[in-house]
Amino acid sequence: MQRFALIGAGFIGAVHAKSLAANPDVDFRYVYDVDLARAETLAVSHGAAAVSSLAQVFDATQVDAVLIASSTNKHAEHLRLAADAGIAALCEKPIDLDLERARETVAYVEASGITAMVDFNRRFDRDYAEVKRIVDAGEVGDVELLQLSSRGPSMPPLEYIAVSGGQMRDQTVHFFDLATWITGLDAVAVSATGSALAEPRVADYGDVDTSIATVRLANGALVQIDSIRRSGYGYDERIEVFGSEGLVEAKRHRAGQVARYGSGTVTESGMHAGWFERVQPTYAAALAEFVGALEDGRSPSPSLREALRAQAVAEAATRSLASGREEPVLS
């Protein structure tokens, strides 16, 4: 049984709180948030206690692991506090919006020897895991081309865009991670282009809402990712891996699988209303991987080092958006 504290009681914190409370190998003890009232509301609903200081969270006599769902600008600080306390940490992405500070944080945490994992939860999607199994088994031959789509249902608020780090770092980074994870290949260079079509004011923040990124992998294979903030028809993502001997595809998920046939028409279910409805089960699955690693004394995946790799690709893509050139991925 692992004793957990949760940092952050916002939307994503509430998602993690539900998973923590439901996991039979977790003793969900504490919730911390800068807004104590919000922490108390979330804690009470899941049988935990709200605490008013980080000292209570990072108390190794009471806590074995912390789940970091705080604001992005606090992730690195909280990872370092976990390292100092000798407490395991499961952290929301990114490690830090600044790549160099993220690198320094990873080195700091690794030196402490604590168990740490970043919640790139899409790795725990059942279909994506099956795609990886097929690729790993060599069933499509040598990987030559990947095509991925990430299409959100609606624009997030401009207040969110202002602090998100940009589409490459915030949205597309999940798919940079999936591409390298599925193939087992490092990214060496990225070319990205984009526009502000759904919300022209996004350009005021130096960002885009519609983009295409082309990634060159170490074996010469190519990855193409289209990322859209506003689809107009629901949340839509898919992966296709083309190899020298075949193809494997994780298809678009519909909200249902019932089709109604009428006179000259077929009516089928559309897409999920939002990204959360599509990926919700993956949060509990990612937590189960982390807890299982703690129970078994093994290293969980994705590690901080793997997350840093995806972040470096996103950083190169962000540079490419600005420069108009292919940019190298700096390890």
Side-chain angles (χ1 to χ4, degrees), residues 55 57-61 63 79-88 108 112 114:
V57 170
F58 294 105
D59 178 357
T61 68
V63 173
L79 279 167
R80 286 172 176 262
L81 287 172
D84 290 342
I87 291 173
Y108 189 91
S112 76
I114 68 165

Side-chain angles (χ1 to χ4, degrees), residues 92-93 119-123 148 150 167-179 225 237 283 310 314:
E92 271 293 318
K93 65 86 181 167
D119 189 26
F120 271 120
N121 56 296
R122 279 173 176 79
R123 290 193 184 195
L148 304 90
S150 171
Q167 190 177 48
M168 295 297 110
R169 297 187 185 105
D170 177 53
Q171 181 181 359
T172 316
V173 67
H174 284 284
F175 296 83
F176 293 141
D177 177 68
L178 285 172
I225 306 171
E237 65 178 58
Y283 286 99

Side-chain angles (χ1 to χ4, degrees), residues 17-271:
K18 184 176 180 180
S19 298
L20 288 166
N23 190 299
D25 294 317
V26 167
D27 175 4
F28 183 19
R29 292 200 163 190
Y30 304 133
V31 177
Y32 170 83
D33 193 274
V34 292
D35 182 339
L36 181 58
R38 187 165 69 170
E40 289 174 340
T41 299
L42 185 61
V44 167
S45 65
H46 293 290
V51 294
S52 58
S53 75
L54 287 173
Q56 293 169 281
V57 170
F58 294 105
D59 178 357
T61 68
Q62 299 296 318
V63 173
D64 302 307
V66 61
L67 201 160
I68 300 170
S70 49
S71 58
T72 297
N73 64 330
K74 292 293 186 180
H75 290 179
E77 174 188 335
H78 293 153
L79 279 167
R80 286 172 176 262
L81 287 172
D84 290 342
I87 291 173
L90 172 57
C91 185
E92 271 293 318
K93 65 86 181 167
I95 297 165
D96 191 84
L97 281 175
D98 181 85
L99 183 59
E100 188 53 41
R101 186 164 188 240
R103 288 192 181 108
E104 292 169 356
T105 300
V106 170
Y108 189 91
V109 173
E110 287 179 341
S112 76
I114 68 165
T115 299
M117 173 176 152
V118 173
D119 189 26
F120 271 120
N121 56 296
R122 279 173 176 79
R123 290 193 184 195
F124 299 92
D125 181 271
R126 181 186 61 186
D127 292 351
Y128 297 165
E130 177 64 6
V131 167
K132 178 172 173 56
R133 186 198 66 76
I134 290 169
V135 171
D136 284 349
E139 295 179 26
V140 299
D142 296 329
V143 173
E144 297 176 352
L145 178 69
L146 284 78
Q147 294 185 325
L148 304 90
S149 293
S150 171
R151 301 173 182 174
S154 59
M155 282 296 303
L158 288 174
E159 294 81 4
Y160 176 83
I161 294 293
V163 298
S164 69
Q167 190 177 48
M168 295 297 110
R169 297 187 185 105
D170 177 53
Q171 181 181 359
T172 316
V173 67
H174 284 284
F175 296 83
F176 293 141
D177 177 68
L178 285 172
T180 55
W181 172 65
I182 287 170
T183 63
L185 297 166
D186 287 334
V188 297
V190 189
S191 177
T193 186
S195 300
L197 300 177
E199 172 51 86
R201 288 177 294 174
V202 166
D204 296 338
Y205 299 93
D207 199 6
V208 298
D209 56 40
T210 305
S211 64
I212 294 175
T214 302
V215 182
R216 197 152 42 85
L217 300 179
N219 73 337
L222 298 176
V223 180
Q224 180 172 285
I225 306 171
D226 66 86
S227 300
I228 296 170
R229 289 287 196 184
R230 184 265 296 131
S231 70
Y233 59 87
Y235 185 71
D236 181 6
E237 65 178 58
R238 61 179 286 276
I239 298 176
E240 177 184 287
V241 183
F242 175 90
S244 58
E245 298 177 18
L247 177 145
V248 59
E249 178 186 20
K251 296 182 177 181
R252 294 176 168 89
H253 276 216
R254 298 192 177 195
Q257 297 299 318
V258 175
R260 187 175 77 252
Y261 292 78
S263 178
T265 65
V266 179
T267 304
E268 296 184 271
S269 299
M271 313 305 289

